Coordinates of all heavy atoms in Angstrom, one line a residue:
I1 N -17.9 -28.7 -8.3 CA -17.6 -27.9 -7.1 C -16.1 -27.6 -7.0 O -15.7 -26.4 -6.7 CB -18.2 -28.6 -5.8 CG1 -19.7 -28.6 -5.8 CG2 -17.6 -28.0 -4.5 CD1 -20.3 -29.4 -4.7
D2 N -15.3 -28.6 -7.2 CA -13.8 -28.4 -7.2 C -13.4 -27.3 -8.2 O -12.6 -26.4 -7.9 CB -13.1 -29.7 -7.5 CG -13.1 -30.7 -6.4 OD1 -13.2 -30.3 -5.2 OD2 -12.9 -31.9 -6.7
A3 N -14.1 -27.4 -9.4 CA -13.7 -26.4 -10.4 C -14.1 -25.0 -10.1 O -13.4 -24.1 -10.3 CB -14.3 -26.8 -11.8
A4 N -15.3 -24.9 -9.4 CA -15.8 -23.5 -9.0 C -14.8 -22.9 -7.9 O -14.5 -21.7 -8.0 CB -17.2 -23.6 -8.5
I5 N -14.4 -23.8 -7.0 CA -13.5 -23.3 -5.9 C -12.2 -22.9 -6.5 O -11.6 -21.8 -6.2 CB -13.4 -24.3 -4.8 CG1 -14.7 -24.6 -4.1 CG2 -12.3 -23.9 -3.8 CD1 -14.7 -25.8 -3.2
A6 N -11.7 -23.7 -7.5 CA -10.4 -23.4 -8.1 C -10.6 -22.1 -8.9 O -9.6 -21.3 -8.9 CB -10.0 -24.5 -9.0
K7 N -11.7 -21.9 -9.6 CA -11.9 -20.7 -10.4 C -11.9 -19.4 -9.5 O -11.4 -18.4 -9.9 CB -13.2 -20.8 -11.2 CG -13.2 -21.7 -12.4 CD -12.5 -21.0 -13.6 CE -12.6 -21.7 -14.9 NZ -11.9 -21.0 -16.0
T8 N -12.5 -19.6 -8.3 CA -12.5 -18.5 -7.4 C -11.1 -18.1 -6.9 O -10.8 -16.9 -6.9 CB -13.4 -18.9 -6.1 OG1 -14.7 -19.3 -6.6 CG2 -13.5 -17.7 -5.2
A9 N -10.3 -19.1 -6.5 CA -9.0 -18.8 -6.1 C -8.1 -18.2 -7.3 O -7.3 -17.3 -7.1 CB -8.3 -20.1 -5.6
E10 N -8.3 -18.7 -8.5 CA -7.6 -18.2 -9.7 C -8.0 -16.8 -9.9 O -7.1 -16.0 -10.3 CB -8.0 -19.1 -10.9 CG -7.3 -20.5 -10.9 CD -7.9 -21.4 -11.9 OE1 -8.7 -20.8 -12.8 OE2 -7.7 -22.6 -11.9
F11 N -9.2 -16.4 -9.7 CA -9.6 -15.0 -9.9 C -8.9 -14.1 -8.9 O -8.4 -13.0 -9.3 CB -11.2 -14.9 -9.7 CG -11.7 -13.5 -9.8 CD1 -11.5 -12.7 -10.8 CD2 -12.3 -13.0 -8.7 CE1 -12.0 -11.4 -10.9 CE2 -12.8 -11.7 -8.7 CZ -12.7 -10.9 -9.8
F12 N -8.9 -14.5 -7.7 CA -8.1 -13.7 -6.7 C -6.7 -13.6 -7.1 O -6.1 -12.5 -7.0 CB -8.3 -14.3 -5.3 CG -9.6 -14.4 -4.7 CD1 -9.9 -15.3 -3.7 CD2 -10.7 -13.6 -5.3 CE1 -11.2 -15.3 -3.1 CE2 -12.0 -13.6 -4.7 CZ -12.2 -14.5 -3.7
E13 N -6.1 -14.7 -7.5 CA -4.7 -14.7 -7.9 C -4.5 -13.7 -9.1 O -3.5 -13.0 -9.2 CB -4.2 -16.1 -8.2 CG -4.1 -17.0 -7.0 CD -2.9 -16.9 -6.2 OE1 -1.9 -16.2 -6.6 OE2 -2.8 -17.6 -5.1
A14 N -5.4 -13.7 -10.0 CA -5.4 -12.9 -11.2 C -5.4 -11.4 -10.8 O -4.9 -10.6 -11.6 CB -6.5 -13.2 -12.2
M15 N -6.0 -11.1 -9.7 CA -6.1 -9.8 -9.2 C -4.8 -9.4 -8.4 O -4.7 -8.3 -7.9 CB -7.3 -9.6 -8.3 CG -8.6 -9.8 -9.0 SD -8.9 -8.6 -10.4 CE -8.8 -7.0 -9.6
G16 N -3.9 -10.3 -8.4 CA -2.6 -10.1 -7.7 C -2.7 -10.3 -6.2 O -1.8 -9.9 -5.4
I17 N -3.7 -11.1 -5.7 CA -3.9 -11.4 -4.3 C -3.6 -12.8 -4.1 O -4.4 -13.7 -4.6 CB -5.3 -10.9 -3.9 CG1 -5.4 -9.4 -4.0 CG2 -5.6 -11.3 -2.4 CD1 -6.6 -8.8 -3.5
K18 N -2.6 -13.1 -3.3 CA -2.3 -14.5 -2.9 C -3.3 -15.2 -2.0 O -3.9 -14.5 -1.2 CB -0.9 -14.6 -2.4 CG 0.2 -14.0 -3.3 CD 0.3 -14.9 -4.5 CE 1.4 -14.4 -5.4 NZ 1.5 -15.2 -6.7
T19 N -3.4 -16.5 -2.1 CA -4.5 -17.2 -1.4 C -4.0 -18.2 -0.4 O -4.8 -19.0 0.1 CB -5.4 -17.9 -2.4 OG1 -4.6 -18.7 -3.2 CG2 -6.1 -16.8 -3.3
K20 N -2.7 -18.2 -0.1 CA -2.2 -19.2 0.9 C -1.5 -18.5 2.0 O -0.8 -17.5 1.8 CB -1.2 -20.2 0.1 CG -1.8 -21.0 -0.9 CD -2.8 -22.0 -0.3 CE -3.4 -23.0 -1.4 NZ -4.4 -23.9 -0.8
L21 N -1.6 -19.1 3.2 CA -0.9 -18.6 4.3 C 0.6 -18.4 4.1 O 1.2 -17.4 4.5 CB -1.1 -19.4 5.6 CG -2.5 -19.3 6.2 CD1 -2.7 -20.5 7.2 CD2 -2.8 -18.0 6.9
A22 N 1.1 -19.4 3.4 CA 2.6 -19.4 3.2 C 3.0 -18.2 2.3 O 4.2 -17.7 2.5 CB 3.0 -20.6 2.4
D23 N 2.1 -17.7 1.5 CA 2.4 -16.5 0.7 C 2.7 -15.2 1.6 O 3.3 -14.3 1.1 CB 1.3 -16.2 -0.3 CG 1.1 -17.3 -1.3 OD1 2.1 -17.8 -1.8 OD2 -0.1 -17.6 -1.6
Y24 N 2.2 -15.3 2.8 CA 2.3 -14.2 3.8 C 3.3 -14.5 4.9 O 3.4 -13.9 5.9 CB 1.0 -13.8 4.3 CG 0.0 -13.4 3.2 CD1 -0.8 -14.4 2.6 CD2 -0.1 -12.1 2.8 CE1 -1.6 -14.1 1.5 CE2 -1.0 -11.8 1.8 CZ -1.8 -12.7 1.2 OH -2.6 -12.4 0.1
G25 N 4.1 -15.6 4.7 CA 5.1 -16.0 5.6 C 4.6 -16.6 6.9 O 5.2 -16.7 7.9
L26 N 3.4 -17.2 6.8 CA 2.7 -17.9 7.9 C 2.6 -19.4 7.7 O 2.5 -19.8 6.6 CB 1.3 -17.3 8.1 CG 1.3 -15.8 8.4 CD1 -0.2 -15.4 8.5 CD2 2.0 -15.4 9.7
G27 N 2.7 -20.1 8.8 CA 2.6 -21.5 8.8 C 1.6 -22.0 9.9 O 0.7 -21.3 10.2
K28 N 1.9 -23.2 10.4 CA 0.9 -23.9 11.3 C 0.7 -23.1 12.6 O -0.3 -23.1 13.3 CB 1.4 -25.3 11.7 CG 1.3 -26.2 10.5 CD 1.8 -27.6 10.8 CE 1.7 -28.6 9.6 NZ 2.1 -30.0 10.0
E29 N 1.8 -22.3 13.0 CA 1.7 -21.5 14.2 C 0.6 -20.5 14.1 O -0.1 -20.2 15.1 CB 3.0 -20.8 14.5 CG 3.3 -19.6 13.7 CD 3.7 -19.9 12.2 OE1 4.0 -21.1 11.9 OE2 3.7 -19.0 11.4
A30 N 0.3 -20.0 13.0 CA -0.8 -19.0 12.8 C -2.1 -19.7 13.0 O -3.1 -19.0 13.4 CB -0.7 -18.4 11.4
I31 N -2.2 -20.9 12.6 CA -3.5 -21.6 12.8 C -3.9 -21.7 14.2 O -5.0 -21.3 14.7 CB -3.5 -23.0 12.1 CG1 -3.2 -22.9 10.6 CG2 -4.8 -23.8 12.4 CD1 -3.0 -24.2 9.9
D32 N -2.9 -22.1 15.1 CA -3.2 -22.1 16.5 C -3.6 -20.8 17.1 O -4.5 -20.7 17.9 CB -1.9 -22.7 17.2 CG -1.6 -24.1 16.9 OD1 -2.6 -24.9 16.6 OD2 -0.4 -24.5 17.0
A33 N -2.8 -19.8 16.6 CA -3.1 -18.4 17.1 C -4.5 -17.9 16.7 O -5.2 -17.3 17.6 CB -2.0 -17.5 16.6
V34 N -4.9 -18.1 15.5 CA -6.2 -17.7 15.1 C -7.3 -18.4 15.8 O -8.3 -17.8 16.2 CB -6.3 -17.8 13.5 CG1 -7.8 -17.6 13.1 CG2 -5.4 -16.9 12.8
V35 N -7.2 -19.7 15.9 CA -8.2 -20.5 16.6 C -8.3 -20.1 18.0 O -9.5 -20.0 18.6 CB -7.9 -22.1 16.5 CG1 -8.8 -22.8 17.3 CG2 -8.0 -22.5 15.0
A36 N -7.2 -19.8 18.7 CA -7.2 -19.3 20.1 C -8.0 -18.0 20.1 O -8.8 -17.8 21.1 CB -5.8 -19.2 20.6
Q37 N -7.8 -17.1 19.2 CA -8.5 -15.8 19.1 C -10.0 -16.0 18.9 O -10.8 -15.3 19.6 CB -7.9 -14.9 18.0 CG -6.5 -14.3 18.3 CD -6.6 -13.2 19.4 OE1 -6.6 -13.4 20.6 NE2 -6.9 -12.0 18.9
L38 N -10.4 -16.9 18.0 CA -11.8 -17.1 17.8 C -12.4 -17.6 19.1 O -13.5 -17.1 19.5 CB -12.0 -18.2 16.7 CG -11.7 -17.8 15.3 CD1 -11.6 -19.0 14.4 CD2 -12.7 -16.8 14.8
E39 N -11.8 -18.5 19.8 CA -12.3 -19.0 21.1 C -12.4 -17.9 22.1 O -13.4 -17.7 22.8 CB -11.5 -20.1 21.6 CG -11.6 -21.4 20.8 CD -10.6 -22.5 21.2 OE1 -9.6 -22.2 21.7 OE2 -11.0 -23.7 20.9
K40 N -11.4 -17.0 22.2 CA -11.3 -15.9 23.1 C -12.5 -14.9 22.9 O -13.0 -14.4 23.8 CB -10.0 -15.2 22.9 CG -9.8 -13.9 23.8 CD -8.5 -13.2 23.5 CE -8.4 -11.9 24.2 NZ -7.1 -11.2 23.8
H41 N -12.8 -14.7 21.6 CA -13.9 -13.8 21.3 C -15.3 -14.5 21.2 O -16.2 -13.8 20.7 CB -13.5 -13.1 20.0 CG -12.3 -12.2 20.1 ND1 -11.3 -12.1 19.1 CD2 -11.9 -11.4 21.1 CE1 -10.4 -11.3 19.5 NE2 -10.7 -10.8 20.7
G42 N -15.4 -15.7 21.6 CA -16.7 -16.4 21.6 C -17.2 -16.8 20.3 O -18.4 -17.1 20.1
M43 N -16.3 -16.9 19.3 CA -16.7 -17.2 17.9 C -16.5 -18.8 17.7 O -15.7 -19.3 16.9 CB -15.8 -16.5 16.9 CG -15.7 -15.0 17.0 SD -17.3 -14.2 16.7 CE -16.9 -12.5 16.9
T44 N -17.4 -19.5 18.5 CA -17.2 -20.9 18.5 C -18.4 -21.6 17.8 O -18.4 -22.9 17.7 CB -17.1 -21.4 20.0 OG1 -18.3 -20.9 20.7 CG2 -15.9 -20.9 20.7
A45 N -19.4 -20.9 17.3 CA -20.5 -21.5 16.6 C -21.0 -20.5 15.6 O -22.0 -19.8 15.7 CB -21.6 -21.8 17.6
I46 N -20.2 -20.4 14.5 CA -20.4 -19.3 13.5 C -20.9 -19.9 12.2 O -21.1 -21.1 12.1 CB -19.2 -18.4 13.3 CG1 -18.0 -19.2 12.9 CG2 -18.9 -17.7 14.6 CD1 -16.7 -18.4 12.6

């Protein structure tokens, strides 16, 4: 399972698409903001 997940991320990276929040200049503050938005929009049991 670990290997399959790693292969998936490697494929995205090979396409030139970064897979980490930090790659887009985002940190822990983005996590709080996104979770708040999910709650705001009723996305609490998806």
Side-chain angles (χ1 to χ4, degrees):
I1 289 172
D2 284 340
I5 296 171
K7 284 282 189 182
T8 305
E10 288 168 10
F11 174 60
F12 296 162
E13 295 275 352
M15 296 302 300
I17 296 185
K18 299 297 183 183
T19 58
K20 295 294 184 181
L21 287 168
D23 295 322
Y24 301 87
L26 300 177
K28 292 181 179 179
E29 75 289 342
I31 298 175
D32 292 334
V34 169
V35 171
Q37 284 285 92
L38 288 169
E39 292 175 331
K40 175 183 174 182
H41 294 138
M43 306 294 180
T44 57
I46 58 178

